[in-house]
CSV table of all heavy atoms in Angstrom, one decimal:
chain,number,residue,atom,x,y,z
G,437,THR,N,5.7,-165.8,-64.1
G,437,THR,CA,4.8,-167.0,-64.2
G,437,THR,C,5.2,-168.1,-63.2
G,437,THR,O,4.4,-169.0,-63.0
G,437,THR,CB,4.7,-167.5,-65.6
G,437,THR,OG1,6.0,-168.1,-65.9
G,437,THR,CG2,4.3,-166.5,-66.6
G,438,THR,N,6.4,-168.0,-62.6
G,438,THR,CA,6.8,-169.1,-61.8
G,438,THR,C,8.0,-168.7,-60.9
G,438,THR,O,8.6,-167.7,-61.2
G,438,THR,CB,7.4,-170.3,-62.7
G,438,THR,OG1,7.8,-171.4,-61.8
G,438,THR,CG2,8.5,-169.9,-63.6
G,439,GLY,N,8.1,-169.4,-59.8
G,439,GLY,CA,9.3,-169.1,-58.9
G,439,GLY,C,10.4,-170.1,-59.3
G,439,GLY,O,11.5,-170.1,-58.6
G,440,GLY,N,10.2,-170.9,-60.3
G,440,GLY,CA,11.3,-171.8,-60.8
G,440,GLY,C,11.8,-171.5,-62.1
G,440,GLY,O,11.8,-170.3,-62.5
G,441,HIS,N,12.2,-172.5,-62.8
G,441,HIS,CA,12.8,-172.3,-64.2
G,441,HIS,C,11.7,-172.5,-65.2
G,441,HIS,O,10.6,-173.0,-64.9
G,441,HIS,CB,13.9,-173.3,-64.4
G,441,HIS,CG,15.1,-173.2,-63.5
G,441,HIS,ND1,16.1,-174.1,-63.5
G,441,HIS,CD2,15.4,-172.3,-62.6
G,441,HIS,CE1,17.0,-173.7,-62.6
G,441,HIS,NE2,16.6,-172.6,-62.0
G,442,ASP,N,12.0,-172.2,-66.5
G,442,ASP,CA,11.1,-172.5,-67.6
G,442,ASP,C,11.9,-173.1,-68.7
G,442,ASP,O,13.1,-173.1,-68.6
G,442,ASP,CB,10.3,-171.2,-68.0
G,442,ASP,CG,11.1,-170.1,-68.4
G,442,ASP,OD1,12.0,-170.3,-69.3
G,442,ASP,OD2,11.0,-169.0,-67.9
G,443,ALA,N,11.2,-173.5,-69.8
G,443,ALA,CA,11.9,-174.2,-70.8
G,443,ALA,C,12.2,-173.4,-72.1
G,443,ALA,O,12.6,-173.9,-73.1
G,443,ALA,CB,11.0,-175.4,-71.3
G,444,ILE,N,12.2,-172.0,-71.9
G,444,ILE,CA,12.4,-171.1,-73.0
G,444,ILE,C,13.9,-171.3,-73.5
G,444,ILE,O,14.8,-171.4,-72.7
G,444,ILE,CB,12.2,-169.7,-72.6
G,444,ILE,CG1,10.7,-169.5,-72.0
G,444,ILE,CG2,12.5,-168.7,-73.7
G,444,ILE,CD1,9.7,-169.8,-73.1
G,445,ASP,N,14.1,-171.2,-74.8
G,445,ASP,CA,15.4,-171.2,-75.4
G,445,ASP,C,16.2,-169.9,-74.9
G,445,ASP,O,15.5,-168.9,-74.6
G,445,ASP,CB,15.4,-171.2,-76.9
G,445,ASP,CG,15.1,-172.6,-77.4
G,445,ASP,OD1,14.9,-173.5,-76.7
G,445,ASP,OD2,15.0,-172.7,-78.7
G,446,VAL,N,17.5,-170.0,-74.8
G,446,VAL,CA,18.3,-168.9,-74.3
G,446,VAL,C,19.2,-168.4,-75.4
G,446,VAL,O,19.6,-169.1,-76.3
G,446,VAL,CB,19.1,-169.4,-73.1
G,446,VAL,CG1,18.2,-169.7,-71.9
G,446,VAL,CG2,20.0,-170.5,-73.4
G,447,PRO,N,19.6,-167.1,-75.2
G,447,PRO,CA,20.5,-166.5,-76.2
G,447,PRO,C,21.9,-167.1,-76.2
G,447,PRO,O,22.4,-167.5,-75.1
G,447,PRO,CB,20.5,-165.0,-75.9
G,447,PRO,CG,20.1,-165.0,-74.5
G,447,PRO,CD,19.2,-166.1,-74.2
G,448,VAL,N,22.6,-167.0,-77.3
G,448,VAL,CA,24.0,-167.3,-77.4
G,448,VAL,C,24.8,-166.2,-78.0
G,448,VAL,O,24.3,-165.5,-79.0
G,448,VAL,CB,24.2,-168.6,-78.3
G,448,VAL,CG1,25.7,-168.9,-78.5
G,448,VAL,CG2,23.5,-169.8,-77.8
G,449,TYR,N,25.9,-165.8,-77.4
G,449,TYR,CA,26.8,-164.7,-77.9
G,449,TYR,C,28.2,-165.3,-78.2
G,449,TYR,O,28.7,-166.1,-77.5
G,449,TYR,CB,26.9,-163.7,-76.8
G,449,TYR,CG,25.5,-163.3,-76.2
G,449,TYR,CD1,25.0,-163.9,-75.1
G,449,TYR,CD2,24.7,-162.3,-76.9
G,449,TYR,CE1,23.7,-163.6,-74.6
G,449,TYR,CE2,23.5,-161.9,-76.4
G,449,TYR,CZ,23.0,-162.6,-75.3
G,449,TYR,OH,21.7,-162.3,-74.8
G,450,ALA,N,28.8,-164.7,-79.2
G,450,ALA,CA,30.2,-165.2,-79.5
G,450,ALA,C,30.9,-164.0,-80.2
G,450,ALA,O,30.3,-163.2,-80.9
G,450,ALA,CB,30.1,-166.4,-80.4
G,451,TYR,N,32.2,-164.0,-80.0
G,451,TYR,CA,33.0,-162.9,-80.5
G,451,TYR,C,34.5,-163.4,-80.5
G,451,TYR,O,34.9,-164.0,-79.6
G,451,TYR,CB,32.9,-161.7,-79.7
G,451,TYR,CG,33.6,-160.4,-80.2
G,451,TYR,CD1,33.1,-159.7,-81.3
G,451,TYR,CD2,34.7,-159.9,-79.5
G,451,TYR,CE1,33.7,-158.6,-81.7
G,451,TYR,CE2,35.4,-158.8,-80.0
G,451,TYR,CZ,34.8,-158.1,-81.1
G,451,TYR,OH,35.5,-157.0,-81.5
Side-chain angles (χ1 to χ4, degrees):
T437 67
T438 179
H441 298 174
D442 58 54
I444 303 300
D445 284 1
V446 296
V448 178
Y449 310 92
Y451 186 73

